[in-house]
């Protein structure tokens, strides 16, 4: 062992490791690519993306209520792959996926009591624990959550029939050539127009003995995945469901709407428990709503939810049955004199994710991406500027409703980077290690680096010896990274990061793009 203070490669022992170099992203695949000038139907626009825990399956939901599943194909022997990873052998091929199956998850409905149409659009998809070689997932629209089972079923085929192959091809099958009898049937089942020693065109009795019969054989053909709805969790939300999240216990999940969070058991569809209720006695006193909620990845008693005021509340289910009182609350205080008409609108958090290290929470509001330390409630430890250049255009964004767009966020499996979407089908990737200047802009196209920009960060201001707050990203006003005007009609709202590899799947309208590094 080296003595304390010794240098290792020019770096003093005990000093923080340097940030990793920026990744070079490359195009991997696209599903449902839109041709130039091709019209996109509303029902085909992707509205949800989710990898399963293994990263071998990917699910997407669209506004037409359909769920499409993809499976990984570049690795056939998972055991061998894991062995090679342990031995640090490079794996030459990048992750590749193929279409697996799709099914209609939700249909449009009408609430006659409230005279309200319920869209079939899939708001969220969450994978559940697989069992017995079957996949399980939850999907939800505005009102109803469904629990799906997807399993491979073998298609059976009958072969070894007493039919000449050439004749069988002409007639299509054995049944069509043996049951048709224009002259009618005899009481014993024979045909009146055929001699006693001739059953049909394909089968003859040799003189003086019976024919040799072969029993039909049932053989299996290709397997087809079949989706079946196991449970329907309905009539528990008066407002639109914005989040669902699985618990680490594998038995329960939560669903959140604007004012309430309900706790469900996967096996019980007719009962749920209300654990958070922010609805005031008088709706005129309502000041904020719930925008997103997620369970802690390992602690089954902890969950976090965000609000339209830009705060995140951490609650502990062990404290009380109704968790109206939070354990911790994370929010960034406004700078005096900085408030405006748009302050609360752009502060609204659209998505939160627990980080892979289980200590941080990633949040996305309209302007920024923020990383919070669970042990520090005073403010985020890192802020990444995504839409700062749009600040002078907030009035225009309010007029065309773009200011209410809700962008997803995600983090890499190693916890070193975060990503989120933007306009003009662009998405941003930031390095979140201390000292990292990585801020890459990519376009959802076959040439992702066309819009690449590396923006140097402003000097990080130190809060303490352990906590550093950094702000990075493009801050040039009213223009994008390349000086071009943004197209607010093409927005990249949904994306997901592979749980173990540097692979990002993102949705651009009806197209699913994948990139690897």
């Amino acid at each position: 062992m080296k003595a304390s203070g010794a240098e290792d490669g020019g770096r003093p022992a005990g000093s923080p490791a340097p940030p990793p170099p920026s990744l070079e992203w490359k195009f991997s695949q696209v599903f449902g690519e839109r041709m130039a000038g091709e019209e996109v139907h509303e029902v085909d626009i992707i509205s949800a993306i989710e990898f399963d825990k293994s990263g071998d399956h990917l699910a997407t939901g669209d506004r037409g209520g359909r769920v499409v599943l993809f499976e990984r194909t570049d690795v056939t022997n998972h055991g061998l792959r894991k062995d090679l990873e342990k031995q640090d052998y490079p794996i030459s091929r990048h992750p590749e996926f193929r279409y697996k199956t799709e099914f209609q998850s939700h249909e449009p409905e009408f609430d006659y009591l409230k005279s309200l149409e319920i869209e079939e659009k899939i708001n969220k998809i969450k994978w559940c624990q697989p069992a017995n070689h079957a996949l399980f997932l939850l999907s939800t629209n505005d009102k109803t959550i469904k629990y799906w089972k997807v399993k491979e079923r073998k298609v059976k085929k009958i072969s070894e029939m007493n039919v000449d192959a050439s004749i069988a091809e002409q007639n299509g099958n054995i049944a069509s050539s043996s049951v048709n009898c224009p002259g009618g049937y005899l009481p014993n089942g024979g045909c009146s127009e055929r001699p006693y020693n001739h059953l049909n065109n394909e089968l003859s009795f040799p003189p003086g003995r019976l024919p040799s019969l072969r029993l039909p054989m049932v053989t299996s053909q290709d397997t087809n995945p079949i989706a079946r709805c196991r449970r329907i969790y309905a009539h528990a939300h008066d407002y639109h469901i914005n989040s669902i999240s699985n618990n680490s216990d594998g038995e329960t999940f939560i669903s959140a709407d604007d004012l309430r969070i309900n706790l469900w058991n996967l096996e019980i569809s007719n009962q749920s428990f209300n654990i958070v209720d922010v609805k005031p006695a008088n709706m005129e006193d309502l000041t904020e709503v719930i925008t997103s909620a997620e369970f802690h990845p390992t602690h089954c008693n902890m969950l976090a939810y965000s609000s339209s005021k830009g705060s995140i509340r951490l609650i502990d289910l062990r404290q009380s049955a109704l968790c109206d009182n939070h354990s911790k609350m994370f929010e960034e205080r406004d700078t005096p004199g900085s408030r405006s008409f748009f302050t609360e609108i752009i502060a609204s958090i659209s998505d939160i994710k627990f980080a892979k290290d289980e200590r941080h929470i990633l949040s996305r509001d309209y302007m920024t991406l923020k990383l919070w330390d669970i042990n520090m409630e005073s403010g985020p430890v890192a802020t990444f500027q995504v839409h700062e250049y749009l600040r002078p255009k907030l009035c225009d964004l309010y007029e065309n409703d773009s200011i209410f767009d809700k962008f997803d966020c995600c983090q890499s499996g190693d916890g070193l980077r975060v990503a989120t979407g933007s306009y003009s089908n662009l998405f941003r990737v930031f390095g979140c290690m201390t000292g990292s200047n990585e801020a890459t802009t990519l376009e959802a196209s076959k040439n992702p680096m066309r819009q690449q920009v590396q923006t140097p960060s402003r000097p990080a201001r130190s809060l303490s010896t352990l906590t550093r707050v950094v702000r990075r990203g493009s801050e040039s006003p009213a223009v994008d990274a390349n000086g071009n005007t943004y197209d607010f009609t093409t927005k990249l709202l949904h994306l997901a990061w592979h749980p173990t590899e540097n692979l990002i799947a993102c949705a651009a309208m009806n197209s699913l793009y994948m990139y690897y590094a």
Side-chain angles (χ1 to χ4, degrees), residues 18-19 21 91 180-181 225 257 301 321 406 487:
I91 299 176
N180 295 329
C181 188
D257 64 22
N301 58 288
K406 300 182 184 303
D487 180 5

Side-chain angles (χ1 to χ4, degrees), residues 349-365:
I349 295 176
S350 58
D351 190 26
I352 61 171
K353 294 283 194 309
F354 274 96
K356 308 299 181 182
D357 61 7
E358 303 175 9
R359 179 179 169 177
H360 294 86
I361 298 176
L362 183 66
S363 70
R364 171 71 153 97
D365 57 45

Side-chain angles (χ1 to χ4, degrees), residues 32-299:
E33 184 180 12
R34 180 163 56 106
M35 299 294 103
E38 180 182 352
E39 182 182 357
V40 176
H41 299 286
E42 181 80 9
V43 295
D44 295 331
I45 297 177
I46 297 174
S47 56
I49 301 179
E50 189 78 10
F51 280 104
D52 69 347
K53 285 188 177 180
S54 68
D56 292 335
H57 295 91
L58 173 68
T60 66
D62 61 28
R63 295 187 182 182
R66 292 164 299 198
V67 173
V68 183
L69 303 184
F70 302 88
E71 63 181 354
R72 188 168 178 176
T73 61
D74 61 301
V75 177
T76 55
N77 190 332
H78 293 266
L80 176 61
R81 178 175 175 268
K82 291 180 180 178
D83 293 339
L84 291 176
E85 286 178 343
K86 291 178 182 178
Q87 298 174 19
D88 291 334
Y89 284 117
I91 299 176
S92 58
R93 300 189 63 181
H94 62 273
E96 292 180 359
F97 286 77
R98 70 178 178 189
Y99 170 86
K100 181 179 179 71
T101 188
E102 68 179 84
F103 54 91
Q104 188 71 33
S105 175
H106 289 72
E107 300 280 357
E109 301 175 37
F110 189 81
D111 188 337
Y112 292 96
L113 293 178
K114 297 182 179 180
S115 297
L116 181 68
E117 290 186 3
I118 303 173
E119 291 183 343
E120 66 270 35
K121 184 188 81 166
I122 304 297
N123 290 341
K124 292 290 181 180
I125 297 175
K126 291 294 181 181
W127 289 92
C128 303
Q129 291 289 346
N132 299 325
H133 305 289
L135 303 174
F136 295 87
L137 54 89
L138 290 167
S139 63
T140 183
N141 65 352
D142 287 338
K143 296 291 184 180
T144 305
I145 307 164
K146 295 186 179 182
Y147 184 42
W148 292 91
K149 176 183 179 180
V150 182
K151 189 170 185 179
E152 301 280 352
R153 295 290 179 87
K154 292 183 179 180
V155 178
K156 295 182 179 179
K157 179 183 177 183
I158 298 177
S159 62
E160 298 295 330
M161 301 288 287
N162 264 351
V163 181
D164 182 79
S166 61
I167 301 177
E169 291 179 1
Q170 296 173 7
N171 294 336
N173 55 50
I174 182 67
S176 63
S177 60
S178 60
V179 300
N180 295 329
C181 188
Y185 295 95
L186 298 177
N188 62 357
C191 182
S192 61
E193 289 192 358
R194 295 186 180 183
Y196 75 95
N197 66 340
H198 190 276
L199 292 182
N200 54 37
N201 295 332
E202 296 86 32
L203 182 62
S204 301
F205 281 105
R209 58 190 176 92
L210 293 174
S212 59
L213 296 177
R214 294 191 303 272
L215 291 177
M217 299 288 292
V218 178
T219 59
S220 61
Q221 206 178 17
D222 294 337
T223 57
N224 289 334
I226 304 296
R228 185 167 65 90
C229 185
R230 292 284 306 276
R231 302 276 190 279
I232 298 179
Y233 313 91
H235 311 301
H237 288 278
D238 293 328
Y239 304 93
H240 291 178
I241 299 172
N242 54 50
S243 304
I244 53 175
S245 179
N246 297 326
N247 198 344
S248 58
D249 62 10
E251 297 179 357
T252 57
F253 70 95
I254 56 170
S255 59
D257 64 22
D258 293 339
L259 299 180
R260 294 186 177 96
I261 299 178
N262 293 335
L263 177 67
W264 301 83
N265 188 298
L266 283 170
E267 300 301 322
I268 303 173
S269 60
N270 59 357
Q271 184 182 42
S272 65
F273 297 94
N274 179 229
I275 57 175
V276 175
D277 189 347
V278 299
K279 183 179 180 180
N282 185 355
M283 286 296 287
E284 293 181 358
D285 298 330
L286 182 67
T287 59
E288 63 180 334
V289 296
I290 299 170
T291 57
S292 181
E294 179 158 299
F295 260 119
H296 191 278
T298 57
H299 299 316

Side-chain angles (χ1 to χ4, degrees), residues 417-465:
R417 296 171 180 85
V418 294
T420 190
S422 182
Y423 293 106
S424 297
N425 284 342
L426 301 180
F427 63 100
R428 310 290 306 276
V429 179
F430 299 96
C432 54
M433 287 283 291
T434 302
S436 174
N437 292 330
E438 183 175 359
T440 307
T441 301
L442 302 157
E443 181 182 15
S445 67
K446 290 187 175 181
N447 183 16
M449 305 303 283
R450 182 167 58 185
Q451 296 278 357
Q452 181 185 6
V453 59
Q454 297 290 343
T455 306
S457 66
R458 296 193 307 201
R461 56 186 180 92
S462 176
L463 293 181
S464 67
T465 56

